[in-house]
Amino acid sequence: MAIVLDGTNGVTTNSGTLISATTIGVGGATPSTSGAGITFPATQSASTDANTLDDYEEGTFTPTYIAGGGSFTTLTYFAQTGKYTKIGNIVYFSINVFTNSVTVGTATGELSIGGLPFTSDSTSQFHQAVSLGRVYRWANAISNMRAYVAINGTSVTFANMATNSATATTVQVSDMTTGANTAYNCLDISGCYKIA
Amino acid sequence: MALIESKKIDQIEVVNDWNIQVRQATIIERDGEFVSRTFHRWVLNPDSDISGQEQKVKDICNAAWTDEVKAAYETFKAEQAKRMP
């Protein structure tokens, strides 16, 4: 039996509860035929109400190393995994990246990780901190870096900022191990960020 | 019993002028009946190489990235390079 909430009549029960043995679709979504839970529309119908959960999505993305300038001649990966779960306006993500071969070419400057699945919040100075896990097999030690999702973008930036200084040390292309080396330049990153 | 996998760009969004958010759905069907759907996402900006994108993605990128938007993006990048105010 299906109960349809059509936005006009609604449903009232004596106990004030609504029970589904399997799945419930909201926003016109067809309830999933597997498991039990709430199915949201494939395309979000955003609510302006601060107390309304209006989206849920799981998926993958492809993280990549990005140079501040120029381009790598060769940049191949041993692992290049990104997974996300979006709940409302927050994206939870995990990244694992290893390189197999790096030829720098004209690549230069600051190194970051691009490819996040959604654009971050654009509020000025609202950089959102994330965590680094394994950091190894780099040419230079970078494990003391902090990481954050930069505003209005899709990249993770690295910096080590002294609290008494306005200058920052950043990860550079020159910190990478170059040449053909299986599973080098490893980074694990996890965190969450508010989207635009 | 035949399992068929199909991929489709099912969502393209322009966010904050220059970010083009793209979602690809991979759909599995068994004998025409829906079995599962997974998503893969990426975001393009005026610095992105869009030569490998589907035509409909290219069309939206080219429509969104006007000279004015590209200039605003370059200004934004220069401001972010300062890192701290």
Side-chain angles (χ1 to χ4, degrees):
Chain A
M1 181 181 72
I3 298 174
V4 178
L5 307 178
D6 63 8
T8 302
N9 300 314
V11 170
T12 302
T13 65
N14 290 334
S15 63
T17 60
L18 183 63
I19 299 173
S20 171
T22 55
T23 52
I24 298 171
V26 296
T30 301
S32 171
T33 55
S34 65
I38 303 169
T39 305
F40 289 84
T43 298
Q44 180 187 11
S45 178
S47 170
T48 57
D49 178 22
N51 298 111
T52 298
L53 176 60
D54 59 10
D55 197 22
Y56 181 89
E57 183 181 306
E58 300 167 359
T60 60
F61 59 97
T62 306
T64 56
Y65 282 117
I66 297 175
S71 59
F72 293 94
T73 302
T74 307
L75 183 56
T76 62
Y77 295 89
F78 175 79
Q80 197 177 12
T81 306
K83 298 183 179 184
Y84 71 86
T85 298
K86 178 177 181 285
I87 302 174
N89 62 4
I90 298 291
V91 174
Y92 296 83
F93 72 95
S94 293
I95 288 172
N96 170 237
V97 182
F98 292 85
T99 60
N100 258 348
S101 182
V102 178
T103 305
V104 170
T106 60
T108 186
E110 191 175 314
L111 190 72
S112 59
I113 294 274
L116 293 177
F118 295 87
T119 305
S120 61
D121 189 295
S122 63
T123 303
S124 178
Q125 296 302 317
F126 190 55
H127 300 301
Q128 303 181 66
V130 295
S131 299
L132 289 173
R134 294 178 300 170
V135 180
Y136 64 95
R137 287 179 173 168
W138 288 73
N140 299 314
I142 63 166
S143 57
N144 58 345
M145 290 291 164
R146 279 72 165 170
Y148 61 88
V149 176
I151 68 170
N152 194 17
T154 55
S155 63
V156 177
T157 302
F158 308 98
N160 187 5
M161 301 175 186
T163 54
N164 61 346
S165 170
T167 60
T169 304
T170 58
V171 178
Q172 302 291 303
V173 170
S174 56
D175 291 321
M176 300 182 85
T177 298
T178 59
N181 297 287
T182 301
Y184 270 63
N185 299 307
C186 170
L187 275 183
D188 296 333
I189 308 169
S190 287
C192 63
Y193 63 101
K194 183 184 176 299
I195 65 167
Chain B
M1 181 171 62
L3 281 175
I4 296 175
E5 176 184 296
S6 62
K7 295 189 177 198
K8 178 185 178 187
I9 301 289
D10 72 341
Q11 198 173 93
I12 307 171
E13 302 169 287
V14 181
V15 178
N16 291 344
D17 294 337
W18 55 72
N19 301 292
I20 313 296
Q21 294 187 169
V22 184
R23 185 176 74 181
Q24 180 186 59
T26 300
I27 298 167
I28 307 289
E29 292 180 320
R30 181 189 294 120
D31 297 330
E33 294 292 320
F34 173 83
V35 174
S36 71
R37 178 179 55 203
T38 56
F39 295 122
H40 188 79
R41 281 184 172 270
W42 60 94
V43 182
L44 304 165
N45 61 48
D47 282 340
S48 302
D49 176 7
I50 62 171
S51 59
Q53 300 294 320
E54 285 190 16
Q55 191 57 48
K56 63 182 178 183
V57 176
K58 289 180 185 175
D59 290 345
I60 289 177
C61 289
N62 291 330
W65 296 338
T66 61
D67 289 344
E68 185 180 12
V69 167
K70 287 178 182 174
Y73 176 66
E74 291 301 322
T75 300
F76 170 77
K77 283 200 303 180
E79 288 173 351
Q80 296 313 302
K82 297 173 189 169
R83 195 175 302 282
M84 284 173 270

